[in-house]
Amino acid sequence: LPSHPPTHRPTYCSCSCSPLTAAMIPSFARRAAARGLRLLEHVNVNISDEKLGDRFYKVLGCQRAENVSLKIFMNCGPHTQFHLPVLPEEPQVWRGDMTLAYTEAGLSAAEKRLAEWASSQEGQSGLGTVLARSGNGLKVQDPWGNVLQLRQGTDSEVQAAALPTRRPFTEESVKDGMLGLTEVSLPVKRGSVDRLAQFYSEVLKFDTVLEDGRLAIVGGPVPNSQRIVFTESDDVPPNCFDHVCIYIDDLEGCFERCEELKMLYVNPRFLWLDNSKTREEMLKWRAFRIMDIHYKGEMLLNEEHEIRSVSHWGWPIQDDVDLPALPQETLDHMKKMAATA
């Protein structure tokens, strides 16, 4: 993948998309809006070495998605993923923690694999280490510095993982006891979580819990099965241009509110996935992005959100919604990137 440009301001390109007629508007955009975070689906961070990433994330219990030509997707249980594009000169570090939940047996097996990793050449070189152990699980650092919390899943997380999946190449991860990516956290500047809570509640219509300088967005396929957490801090590292992907019901409503707030962002790395500057383009791609979160006159957060509809082609949970095929331009571009390594 080409590197992200040094600026994070919205980058638009010319587009020849034809306007959509009312008859062409998909039913997902016309149905009554539903509230809430439906799925925290993936985090995208660059890594510098594909083989090293493959080995380490398999130690955690992930499984490589072999059904697409671009080999950057690591499935975490039945519904969630890490996206790990290889950019040797530009690895990225998520600024907070990422939490993986397991069955009791799955967590024990992951701990044993990590112990074996520690005695390997990579482990002895400090490429992926266990930072801490507790009665609740492990705190682990991947070879590039990303911090992962490994713990046993809650009842709601177990129920979410039990939902049937459309996603292939998840069987080994599920067999290994991986429930999925259940939480991500980010530090934010002091005094910002109250206004952030207003943004996520009023603009994205998410359920929030606010307490003592900490904001949690609560949702997931089963109530309270996933969380996005913001904690106030004096030390907020600069954005490294990673991103988080979420699924929602009310894509059109959220798009209109973000458009009104002038928040829309188009990532030039991923024009083959979405290029949504207008309502018509959003309906075509069934997705859009935001980066600079500013609300009621205050800049609150700089983090790319890839926001998808539950009837986007990538929605992994098996339900009664008919999903579209992978867009041809997406498929063509992935094949081209795979062919050119």
Side-chain angles (χ1 to χ4, degrees), residues 171-191:
E171 298 84 359
E172 291 301 318
S173 184
V174 171
K175 182 180 177 181
D176 283 342
M178 171 78 77
L179 301 177
L181 178 66
T182 58
E183 182 176 311
V184 296
S185 68
L186 283 171
V188 294
K189 67 179 182 179
R190 295 211 175 269

Side-chain angles (χ1 to χ4, degrees), residues 148-187:
L148 302 112
Q149 303 282 352
L150 280 53
R151 60 164 174 78
Q152 188 173 337
T154 64
D155 289 344
S156 61
E157 292 163 355
V158 171
Q159 292 168 19
L163 296 173
T165 187
R166 305 172 192 260
R167 185 163 281 166
F169 297 98
T170 58
E171 298 84 359
E172 291 301 318
S173 184
V174 171
K175 182 180 177 181
D176 283 342
M178 171 78 77
L179 301 177
L181 178 66
T182 58
E183 182 176 311
V184 296
S185 68
L186 283 171

Side-chain angles (χ1 to χ4, degrees), residues 250-261:
D250 183 23
L251 189 74
E252 187 172 14
C254 286
F255 178 86
E256 290 173 351
R257 291 186 290 273
C258 290
E259 183 181 36
E260 183 177 353
L261 292 168

